[in-house]
Amino acid sequence: MQDRLEDLTLDALMQRAAALRDAAHGRMLSYSRKVFIPLTKLCRDVCHYCTFAETPRPGRNPYLSPEEVLAIARAGAAAGCTEALFTLGDKPELRWRQAREALAALGHATTNSYLAAMCGLVLRETGLLPHANPGVMTRDEIAALREVTASQGIMLESASARLCEPGGVHHGSPDKHPEARLEVLRLAGELRVPFTTGILIGIGETRAERIEALRAIADLHARHRHIQEVIIQNFRAKPRTKLAEAPEPDLDDLLWTIAAARVVLGGAMNIQAPPNLSPGVYQRLVAAGLNDWGGVSPVTPDHVNPEAPWPHLEDLAVRTAEAGKVLVPRLPAYPEHVRAPDTWFAPEVATALRRAADAEGLARGDAWSPGERTPPALPAPRLPAAEAGLARLVERAAGGARLDAPDIIRLFAARDADQAHVTSAADALRAAVSGETIRYVVNRNINYTNICGYRCRFCAFSKGKTHEALRGPAYDLDHAEIVRRAEEAWARGATEVCLQGGIHPDYTGETYVAICEAIRAALPEMHIHAFSPLEITQGAATLGLKLRDYLARLQSAGLGTLPGTAAEILDDEIRAIICPDKIDTAQWLAVARTAHSLGLRTTSTIMFGHVEGPLNWARHLLALRDLQAETGGFTEFVPLPFVHMEAPMYLRGQARRGPTFREAVLMHSVARLVLHPHITNIQTSWVKMGPQGAALALRAGANDLGGTLMNESISRAAGTQHGQEFPPEAMEALIRGVGRTPQQRTTLYGVPPGEQQRRSYEAEDLAPVVQTAPRRRVPA
């Protein structure tokens, strides 16, 4: 490998490295938004180039106090940081009496013990994710830090032991011996700790020794898969050091080392070079194969290199775009580890990471969550055009081709100009398929019971710590109240009642039949849109009927269509986590297929933003597309962003905070493309997205605004802050606000009777609902 690298020209080596990087990382170039916490600047080592380490000074506390640590961390959190980088000298208590005395006053025997305490404090008090660089550690010290850190690190710096000999830069620094540092890397791998390392170039090592160090890192990573990034840091000569007059490595030497690291470590490895140490040459660094800028702080200086200020994040984004890349925020742990939180992190840290991460394992790029009133926004793209390969995928999808899962994942990964291309293409396809009309239905939700024998881990409908305020006590509506609500809805212009509820342990298939019969007897013209595939399966099972026979019976009783809820994610790997006792993917699809064969059309949905990711989204969309190509029975597709606030699995630290706004909008756009030409209506949920979010979704491929609802209980129970009714006047104002024409529709996309439309604009206030108290039901 060394000979081959040495034989290549610099340009050829950089081209090879960049190609490897692009194949694995695409256009993304990441960074971590951090705050720098120098816990102590005392150190037992005497590296000849270091200005970070200090000697004890009278009147100065050798360690930051807990209050000082928290003040720095809180400033970082206020500035939008996600990482708290703890940097400190190596075991100063072994050299300095003042360190021992200060630690004793703090209640600790070692620096690493105090470090672990401060990492835990910052994690719990601020939500920032700690990354710790304490130098050489024992197995027990690494394990203790694992409980309270998202990642740890130690710079290998060099594999050359001769640098520790007299005259070398590491002479007198026992913690800089390569074998000691490699042992830390090995122990971290065994303990499954995401770990940062790297090399420092220009301190007297040869290029051959750099390759040796990189190969040692590669070997350890091959064994444990724990090396999350490798930093290529160029030596900077600093005043008041023994190397103050030493020559620094030139740009070509830095570029050669970055490119060599990429080739030795492979395309997937994260290769980093600090931007503040190489100002003005960012495009050259990118061309050499790096894919990460490291931690950049909007709050604190680089205490290791105080002479080199961080670039402003806005400037870094511009310079990154000039190099043809998209700057994306990440967490202190990288996506490949974040996506497997229970494998790589202690429970407390895993919870914090889930709440800070998006579906790809990167940092959430916005503060929005479904159901909240935070104004949503999509940043303007910086790159001039979409990547050619992505543009070809979009063109194929718009032409009706069936994409495969990796193609769909690539669409979901779109950012910047790629994202803009996906959303604009989806909107253009919407215009071609559906025109400039945005439809909605005047309807009423009737949730007939919130009592449920299932334990879906995402559902707050019959659970939640503030459930009394959100939905009141348990209820089980009698027929009189169901019919009263349906009649009131008709009088207010509704053409549909949508009925769903919990799976009450006393309900049988006759219960659902009787509900339909009661509504039809009172309102023969009202469309009954009712019962998810879970309720259908449950009802059929209680009567010992086949799905087809039971659906036919419901149809005779007045059922018009079925909502495509209970789908959540049509991927059994995810269903086993979020709803293990619920029907599986095949059963859900079987209900929809059977209903379609009887002429009962259904909607289709996805609930996303919890524990799943783009691969699961792709599988879900393909399952719907394939069934629609077979039956043609789906009327629309409805993305339902996960509302996290009261969801049990979120409260237990097992789920994300719903999708980011970027992901929520992309779901509408990608669905429009992937489901074309089979499902022509893409609906956006104003309850989940909020009116402003729904308006942006209407510009990104959606052509339907759903229902006015009148009452909404399920999302309300989960914690959404949006209202329970969106009357026609408000619907139409929103639609006109995006330059489209509003039109009322029926459930099956027909035109409602004129009298009902008139009533919808003159609706009186709703009467108070009556939540019938639970009672023992006797099976029919």
Side-chain angles (χ1 to χ4, degrees), residues 324-460:
K325 300 296 178 184
V326 179
L327 186 68
V328 296
R330 61 164 173 84
L331 301 170
Y334 279 77
E336 48 268 38
H337 297 118
V338 174
R339 291 194 297 262
D342 296 326
T343 298
W344 289 100
F345 307 100
E348 185 177 12
V349 178
T351 291
L353 281 163
R354 286 187 183 99
R355 293 177 175 177
D358 68 9
E360 293 177 273
L362 292 162
R364 297 178 72 88
D366 52 60
W368 182 88
S369 282
E372 293 181 349
R373 296 188 183 277
T374 305
L378 291 173
R382 298 181 186 277
L383 294 176
E387 192 271 330
L390 179 129
R392 288 192 293 271
L393 281 182
V394 168
E395 185 177 6
R396 285 180 56 216
R402 184 186 187 277
L403 302 184
D404 59 19
D407 293 335
I408 298 170
I409 292 168
R410 188 171 182 187
L411 295 182
F412 278 121
R415 295 171 185 265
D416 200 84
D418 292 345
Q419 178 185 342
H421 184 78
V422 170
T423 56
S424 64
D427 199 46
L429 184 58
R430 180 271 316 157
V433 170
S434 183
E436 297 303 310
T437 299
I438 302 295
R439 295 171 176 83
Y440 69 96
V441 62
V442 179
N443 68 346
R444 183 171 197 169
N445 265 20
I446 303 177
N447 302 119
Y448 39 78
T449 185
N450 61 357
I451 300 170
C452 187
Y454 283 77
R455 292 293 179 265
C456 298
R457 293 168 184 168
F458 56 83
C459 181

Side-chain angles (χ1 to χ4, degrees), residues 500-536:
Q500 297 177 95
I503 308 299
H504 194 300
D506 293 341
Y507 280 16
T508 71
E510 295 293 352
T511 308
Y512 304 120
V513 171
I515 289 173
C516 290
E517 289 175 338
I519 294 171
R520 186 173 67 171
L523 294 165
E525 295 180 75
M526 179 71 85
H527 185 96
I528 301 174
H529 180 63
F531 315 133
S532 73
L534 176 60
E535 290 158 293
I536 298 299

Side-chain angles (χ1 to χ4, degrees), residues 14 280-288 293 319 322-324:
M14 290 173 60
V281 293
Y282 294 169
Q283 287 178 279
R284 295 285 287 157
L285 300 181
V286 173
W293 290 125
R319 302 286 86 80
E322 289 173 352

